[in-house]
Amino acid sequence: MRKRLLYLLVLSSYFLLHSCASPQHKNDTVAYTDDYNRTVQVPVAPQRVVSTSPAVTEIIYALGGQELLVGRTDFCTYPPEAALVESIGGISNLNVEKIVSLNPDIVISGSMIPKKSTDQLEKMGVATVHVIEKKRFDGLYENISRIGQLIGRTPQADSLNEVLREKISQLSILNSQNSSPKLGEVPEGRRSVYYVVGFGPTGNFTAGGDSFINDIITMAGGRNVAEDITGWSYSLEALLTADPDYILIRREDSAAFCTTPPYTRLSAVKEHRVIGINSGLIDLQVPRNIDAVQFLAQRLSNP
């Protein structure tokens, strides 16, 4: 009997020691500095993640971390299966109470979330970090790495970035006959492109030279007619004067643009050189930006 009791004591001590020696406890945290230079204590191995950004949601799926996702916004619609994840409302009107009820280990946010929502979440003890859209195309790789680090998928993030860089390299080789440039280089003689972000009575908006969309146009073999501006506002007079070779626009807006004066005066409209594109490929800084480069390159090389 004494030997049996001694055996049970040793066995229980063994399991106690090994459970305490676990390398990562779910409550372990580490200091993380986000894109707003805020230092937040985040879990080392989060098991419940809420995304308040369509780009963040898409990258989480691309990294194979979808099983961690317990909440997403109404605008997180890619991939389609994201619709099965619990919604926490819109972007400008997050349902903070709903987020808290999901008991997330971490909330990963983008650049569109109001500061008051972040403040509310922090007051409620929810670790919230911001991974925002970067101005240059290369910022995509940084965001993938950041999100990979936050959800415990660093090896997957490294692998994804390697694949994406290889795809861009291959596209550059394929475009070499057209003198495909590196980022920031736009040779003369390129076909001019204007990307329509907004149009009509409320104003004309496009992607300026300080945007990753400008880089997508450049890498695809085009020249952004708005490359000299910063920000998004563009005058109607400047657009009509530039009279770009191609108009790039969201597919759902194409018909309205082509039938609305004075845009009907543009050569690209008259000569059917208006390119409709899936907005998800170009409006968000996501892995599908590679598809946008390839799609646009094909259209520009086959007028």
Side-chain angles (χ1 to χ4, degrees), residues 130-196:
H130 292 265
V131 179
I132 67 173
E133 175 185 286
K134 307 302 186 296
K135 289 186 177 295
R136 310 314 315 191
F137 183 91
D138 283 350
L140 169 63
Y141 307 127
E142 178 185 345
N143 283 0
I144 289 172
S145 294
R146 279 182 170 270
I147 293 170
Q149 177 186 357
L150 286 167
I151 67 171
R153 295 292 192 280
T154 293
Q156 292 87 337
D158 292 342
S159 296
L160 178 58
N161 279 336
E162 184 178 349
V163 169
L164 295 178
R165 285 191 170 97
E166 178 61 24
K167 285 184 177 181
I168 284 294
S169 176
Q170 291 300 318
L171 285 172
S172 296
I173 292 172
L174 291 174
N175 291 334
S176 61
Q177 293 180 347
N178 297 323
S179 302
S180 180
K182 296 179 181 179
L183 289 182
E185 297 179 359
V186 185
E188 294 183 4
R190 285 301 190 89
R191 297 181 183 278
S192 57
V193 180
Y194 178 82
Y195 179 54
V196 180

Side-chain angles (χ1 to χ4, degrees), residues 93-276:
N93 58 336
L94 287 180
N95 186 334
V96 173
E97 290 74 17
K98 178 66 175 179
I99 294 174
V100 174
S101 73
L102 293 173
N103 193 30
D105 297 321
I106 187 172
V107 173
I108 307 178
S109 185
S111 56
M112 300 295 291
I113 300 303
K115 184 177 183 299
K116 65 177 182 179
S117 296
T118 299
D119 292 342
Q120 282 181 284
L121 288 168
E122 289 183 335
K123 286 178 182 178
M124 295 180 178
V126 180
T128 306
V129 299
H130 292 265
V131 179
I132 67 173
E133 175 185 286
K134 307 302 186 296
K135 289 186 177 295
R136 310 314 315 191
F137 183 91
D138 283 350
L140 169 63
Y141 307 127
E142 178 185 345
N143 283 0
I144 289 172
S145 294
R146 279 182 170 270
I147 293 170
Q149 177 186 357
L150 286 167
I151 67 171
R153 295 292 192 280
T154 293
Q156 292 87 337
D158 292 342
S159 296
L160 178 58
N161 279 336
E162 184 178 349
V163 169
L164 295 178
R165 285 191 170 97
E166 178 61 24
K167 285 184 177 181
I168 284 294
S169 176
Q170 291 300 318
L171 285 172
S172 296
I173 292 172
L174 291 174
N175 291 334
S176 61
Q177 293 180 347
N178 297 323
S179 302
S180 180
K182 296 179 181 179
L183 289 182
E185 297 179 359
V186 185
E188 294 183 4
R190 285 301 190 89
R191 297 181 183 278
S192 57
V193 180
Y194 178 82
Y195 179 54
V196 180
V197 174
F199 66 97
T202 58
N204 293 279
F205 302 93
T206 189
D210 60 338
S211 67
F212 72 90
I213 297 174
N214 176 83
D215 294 341
I216 288 173
I217 294 171
T218 300
M219 289 189 292
R223 178 181 62 82
N224 181 11
V225 298
E227 63 188 355
D228 294 332
I229 73 164
T230 58
W232 300 91
S233 183
Y234 201 71
S235 73
L236 177 60
E237 292 75 18
L239 173 57
L240 294 174
T241 299
D243 196 20
D245 298 320
Y246 286 88
I247 297 293
L248 183 63
I249 189 170
R250 301 179 185 94
R251 284 175 182 164
E252 59 269 28
D253 297 333
S254 178
F257 183 87
C258 292
T259 55
T260 301
Y263 309 109
T264 50
R265 290 158 45 189
L266 293 168
S267 298
V269 174
K270 293 178 182 178
E271 299 170 16
H272 307 290
R273 294 196 303 271
V274 176
I275 303 171

Side-chain angles (χ1 to χ4, degrees), residues 8-31:
L8 292 174
L9 180 61
V10 171
L11 188 63
S12 62
S13 298
Y14 172 86
F15 283 115
L16 179 61
L17 285 172
H18 279 261
S19 63
C20 292
S22 177
Q24 288 185 352
H25 190 274
K26 69 176 183 179
N27 292 325
D28 286 347
T29 63
V30 63

Side-chain angles (χ1 to χ4, degrees), residues 44-51 60-61 63-71 85 102-106 108 147-153:
V44 173
Q47 300 301 305
R48 299 180 63 81
V49 178
V50 167
S51 166
I60 288 174
Y61 271 87
L63 296 176
Q66 58 267 26
E67 77 279 2
L68 305 176
L69 199 62
V70 296
V85 178
L102 293 173
N103 193 30
D105 297 321
I106 187 172
I108 307 178
I147 293 170
Q149 177 186 357
L150 286 167
I151 67 171
R153 295 292 192 280

Side-chain angles (χ1 to χ4, degrees), residues 52-66:
T52 65
S53 160
V56 170
T57 298
E58 186 168 335
I59 290 173
I60 288 174
Y61 271 87
L63 296 176
Q66 58 267 26

